[in-house]
Amino acid sequence: MVSLEVLAKLCNACGVAGREEEVRSLMRKLLKPYVDEVKEDKLGSVIGIKEGGKNAPKVMLAGHMDEIGLLVKTISKEGYLQFAKIGGIDDRVLLAQKVMVFTEKGPLHGIIGSKPPHIQKEDERKRAITYDELFIDIGAGSQEEANKMGVRIGDVVEFDVKFAAINKDIVIGKAFDDRVGCAAMIEAVKRLEKTECTVYAVGTVQEEVGARGATTSAFGIYPDVGLALDVTVAGDIPGVKEVDAPTKLKKGPSLTIADSSHISHPKVLRLLTEAAEENKIPYQLEAGLPGGTDAGRISLAKEGVPSCSICIPTRYIHSPTSLLSLTDVENTVKLTVAAVKKIPKYF
Ligand code: ZN
């Protein structure tokens, strides 16, 4: 099983896209015992290298370190913070959230405020409030006071949510997208011990804004195979049709056949399904859903890299708190390990 302590640490860390420092230093520490070398590329992706045999194929595993979040855009005269969104966030989940504003003087508590219902006009009550009508209240009385508290334009804001286990299998928390992919990747590298392939375990930056870290790291590594470990929408909730989100919790990792940015390479897909079946690892398939992962950008490096995504079913992704099953995480690790071992037979 993935260590709960590791998963909690990774999820509680701050790493809004482009500001992954805290997660990066954690990833370096967590990968170090299981790889021969840890490097960074110039955009900040962490690369753990586990040397394989001479002329053996190179596999790039990618888990993105960044998460969705907010940035301080302006500080009003009255001391309220207006914000920009980083990554795909539904405006409707922002209202009344507790947040942390990371300033140079340390983190500050805040709340996303809006007009209370009592004083809203009829039409305001009927529609969803958009993010640009909201503000973060840090209790400052003026712009000057906010500045004195350490707030600057561009400071990162995160949802104030702590990791928790509901029972032995179900956990809830922030940033499962994609710290759970990072945790699964670390566990897979740990279990691989000696491998024929050379494994590059990459904690990528800026996935949520266009898989930018995967673009540069895949260019540098130019692997023979790319596997993105990420999350996908678990659609087993009220009001969701199977055709819109067929992946379910506790049914194993979902292999993405096609999404908005990528069509999985048939050889990699076959490698994964065979590895799953030989090892009796449950898996699901999804095709034609919107969204994308690092696999899309890895596949376009230089002359191309056969790639696929292995996704952990997760409910409520891109909202402040998500929910997932540790059994799915375990099966994702098992499948990744089994697939990496099979690569030399295919590539
Ligand atoms: Zn993701």
Side-chain angles (χ1 to χ4, degrees):
M1 269 291 180
V2 165
S3 149
L4 263 195
E5 200 193 327
V6 165
L7 187 57
K9 257 192 201 160
L10 281 166
C11 294
N12 288 339
C14 169
V16 173
R19 296 288 179 270
E20 296 91 353
E21 295 83 357
E22 192 183 342
V23 187
R24 178 162 42 245
S25 66
L26 255 176
M27 288 292 284
R28 290 192 72 112
K29 260 190 237 148
L30 292 167
L31 277 167
K32 206 169 172 244
Y34 313 120
V35 295
D36 298 301
E37 190 191 350
V38 182
K39 302 197 301 190
E40 260 173 48
D41 82 354
K42 289 183 185 174
L43 273 197
S45 296
V46 172
I47 306 170
I49 307 168
K50 198 177 182 72
E51 295 291 349
K54 244 193 170 174
N55 303 320
K58 297 196 281 185
V59 56
M60 172 173 166
L61 306 177
H64 67 87
M65 300 191 293
D66 63 308
E67 64 187 293
I68 55 160
L70 313 171
L71 286 187
V72 175
K73 197 173 173 186
T74 47
I75 307 168
S76 77
K77 266 199 237 123
E78 297 78 19
Y80 295 103
L81 318 180
Q82 282 108 358
F83 55 87
K85 296 194 289 182
I86 302 295
I89 303 176
D90 181 348
D91 290 3
R92 291 169 298 181
V93 304
L94 291 169
L95 196 61
Q97 286 296 326
K98 264 177 76 189
V99 293
M100 296 298 286
V101 182
F102 291 86
T103 76
E104 58 177 18
K105 289 189 180 167
L108 293 173
H109 287 284
I111 179 166
I112 300 182
S114 75
K115 239 196 242 182
H118 321 68
I119 52 169
Q120 282 172 9
K121 302 221 165 64
E122 181 83 24
D123 68 306
E124 285 177 317
R125 256 181 265 141
K126 280 185 187 150
R127 67 177 176 86
I129 299 168
T130 58
Y131 80 96
D132 47 359
E133 297 171 272
L134 299 168
F135 48 83
I136 298 163
D137 187 347
I138 51 165
S142 64
Q143 192 180 63
E144 206 190 0
E145 196 182 336
N147 283 330
K148 264 195 200 143
M149 290 164 83
V151 185
R152 296 286 179 273
I153 306 295
D155 282 348
V156 165
V157 182
E158 260 205 359
F159 299 115
D160 187 9
V161 173
K162 291 282 171 275
F163 181 90
I166 292 181
N167 57 38
K168 274 191 180 154
D169 190 40
I170 303 295
V171 291
I172 56 173
K174 167 185 84 65
F176 284 173
D177 184 4
D178 182 30
R179 306 289 158 67
V180 67
C182 294
M185 179 174 75
I186 294 164
E187 183 65 21
V189 174
K190 178 180 167 185
R191 286 189 207 174
L192 275 164
E193 294 180 9
K194 273 222 166 311
T195 54
E196 204 178 327
C197 298
T198 294
V199 181
Y200 293 80
V202 187
T204 59
V205 294
Q206 300 189 44
E207 190 271 351
E208 295 294 356
V209 289
R212 294 168 190 169
T215 309
T216 59
S217 52
F219 185 92
I221 296 164
Y222 194 37
D224 298 291
V225 180
L227 297 174
L229 305 184
D230 211 322
V231 301
T232 190
V233 173
D236 51 351
I237 56 168
V240 176
K241 285 193 204 125
E242 184 157 4
V243 68
D244 292 327
T247 296
K248 293 173 179 61
L249 224 62
K250 301 188 188 183
K251 301 272 184 212
S254 186
L255 307 177
T256 313
I257 296 171
D259 61 27
S260 311
S261 73
H262 183 231
I263 297 172
S264 63
H265 193 283
K267 225 164 137 184
V268 184
L269 188 61
R270 201 175 339 120
L271 162 87
L272 287 166
T273 53
E274 278 186 20
E277 277 152 28
E278 283 166 13
N279 294 280
K280 299 195 167 43
I281 303 164
Y283 68 96
Q284 314 179 62
L285 295 172
E286 59 178 48
L289 303 183
T293 70
D294 278 342
R297 302 307 304 183
I298 296 169
S299 75
L300 298 177
K302 295 189 183 174
E303 291 176 30
V305 178
S307 303
C308 191
S309 318
I310 307 175
C311 293
I312 298 160
T314 307
R315 291 185 189 152
Y316 325 117
I317 58 174
H318 286 217
S319 81
T321 316
S322 302
L323 178 153
L324 58 78
S325 150
L326 295 171
T327 309
D328 287 329
V329 183
E330 174 62 16
N331 283 320
T332 303
V333 175
K334 281 187 183 160
L335 179 55
T336 307
V337 170
V340 170
K341 285 185 178 161
K342 265 180 96 76
I343 286 173
K345 283 196 196 111
Y346 280 76
F347 293 90

